[in-house]
Amino acid sequence: MPELPEVENVRRTLAGRLIGRTVAAVDVRRADVVEGEATPAAPEALLVGDAVERIERLGKQLAIVGGSGRVVCVHLGMTGSLVVRAMPQPAEAPPPHTHVVWRFAGGDELHFRDPRRFGGVWTFPSEAALRERRWHALGEDALVITPAALAAALSRKRQGIKATLLDQAVLAGMGNIYVDELLFACGIHPLRPAGSLGPVEVRTLVTRMRRLLNRAIEAGGSTLRDYVDGNGDAGGFQLRHKVYGRGGQPCRGRGCGCELASIAVAGRTTVYCAACQPLTGVDRESILPSP
DNA sequence: CCTTAATCCTGGAAGC
DNA sequence: TGCTTCCAGGATTAAG
């Protein structure tokens, strides 16, 4: 579930509680969620004996960097969570689907849970290795990318704008919720070919994307069902969604009042307003399914 | 190039 | 109440 704003909230809450603290032990309860050179005999790959130095984020992925330089990368997938449990009772069993538990000196624990197991944990000997072997496949972060860089990336694409923005190799961090919200905010139809956006439109897209993501971060992210931050707290931005999850309901655009449309794009439910997000300057027949 | 569907999983909600 | 079906924040892969 977690998209950029949710993952950034996890990063911030974990950083506040874990930086400077030393990992005393790790309990890998499901070995197949961890990829890398970590073994029961070599737990230092999972930062045992390391103090947490900083926590980085690129798109939807996190990197916990230890003082030794070793790195643990976590991708939360759809249902993953990273939550700090303060001083659990000795006999207290972790919740179901808790796959990795880090025990910190002093007693607190960090739990990686992921019922659907679309997420995972990857270990690397250095941040350089993480960037070369894993993060090389990601585009620039959605909070950092410049209008010029995004325009260059979009100009090479003939795909629809929604499918293109969901592609993590183009832009890292946007998912189904925030793409729909962004395209509504910009008045852009989700099936507009990415390459048909002009420089002014791309500049507006980037400006509104930053504003949308920053507002969502400040609201604690969107909690639909599972998402919680590193403290176990839910977000509040789902209350401010304009289109996501609102197919068939009235558009909240000024003076619009028409019914929001719901279609499938790139295999994902897509909600938009046909009046506020027209297919301008495009041959409709070539894009929309004929009746 | 492009798009679509299947796939990896679990669990909640809706339908009967 | 119980059973079945569908759907979900992600991402890769194969197939058309």
Side-chain angles (χ1 to χ4, degrees):
Chain A
M1 74 145 48
E3 306 179 23
L4 188 151
E6 291 76 40
V7 178
E8 176 61 15
N9 268 284
V10 173
R11 191 194 69 77
R12 292 182 185 183
T13 47
L14 291 186
R17 296 182 65 169
L18 299 181
I19 284 178
R21 303 199 51 192
T22 299
V23 179
V26 66
D27 179 10
V28 178
R29 301 162 58 86
R30 255 202 92 109
D32 61 359
V33 306
V34 179
E35 207 170 287
E37 53 283 294
T39 66
E44 61 272 10
L46 282 165
L47 304 180
V48 171
D50 241 327
V52 175
E53 188 172 278
R54 59 184 192 279
I55 304 180
E56 307 282 336
R57 180 190 58 75
L58 178 57
K60 305 171 189 174
Q61 301 189 34
L62 289 172
I64 304 171
V65 183
S68 69
R70 294 180 194 275
V71 174
V72 167
C73 174
V74 179
H75 186 188
L76 298 175
M78 294 259 273
T79 55
S81 64
L82 276 172
V83 174
V84 176
R85 295 295 165 91
M87 301 293 288
Q89 298 304 309
E92 196 179 336
H97 307 295
T98 302
H99 307 312
V100 183
V101 175
W102 286 267
R103 295 199 172 80
F104 284 82
D108 291 354
E109 296 181 347
L110 174 63
H111 289 192
F112 173 61
R113 288 189 66 220
D114 186 14
R116 283 179 77 178
R117 274 181 278 136
F118 289 174
V121 174
W122 291 261
T123 68
F124 296 91
S126 68
E127 196 173 336
L130 163 69
R131 292 183 185 276
E132 284 163 23
R133 298 180 207 163
R134 183 168 174 84
W135 282 4
H136 72 93
L138 298 177
E140 287 186 65
D141 188 84
L143 271 181
V144 170
I145 197 167
T146 62
L150 185 60
L154 296 185
S155 69
R156 292 185 234 109
K157 296 283 180 180
R158 234 176 293 184
Q159 278 179 292
I161 184 66
K162 165 146 184 178
T164 304
L165 294 175
L166 284 174
D167 184 348
Q168 302 300 297
V170 171
L171 177 70
M174 297 293 283
N176 205 34
I177 295 174
Y178 295 103
V179 168
D180 276 10
E181 294 296 317
L182 174 63
L183 293 178
F184 176 78
C186 295
I188 295 173
H189 194 287
L191 295 176
R192 271 279 299 281
S196 76
L197 272 67
V200 175
E201 283 179 304
V202 175
R203 180 166 293 278
T204 304
L205 194 73
V206 170
T207 303
R208 301 211 169 151
M209 179 165 70
R210 287 178 188 159
R211 188 188 310 162
L212 171 70
L213 294 174
N214 280 318
R215 284 179 177 171
I217 290 168
E218 285 165 25
S222 302
T223 296
L224 305 184
R225 198 209 309 285
D226 304 307
Y227 168 71
V228 289
D229 67 17
N231 294 323
D233 295 327
F237 197 70
Q238 65 280 2
L239 302 173
R240 310 228 295 264
H241 293 169
K242 301 260 196 324
V243 289
Y244 178 84
R246 298 194 61 249
Q249 296 177 45
C251 174
R252 289 174 177 158
R254 65 274 115 174
C256 177
C258 59
E259 195 175 274
L260 292 174
S262 184
I263 61 174
V265 176
R268 320 295 300 278
T269 297
T270 299
V271 181
Y272 69 101
C273 174
C276 300
Q277 298 165 260
L279 261 178
T280 51
V282 179
D283 177 11
R284 300 181 67 93
E285 304 295 321
S286 66
I287 293 169
L288 293 176
S290 41

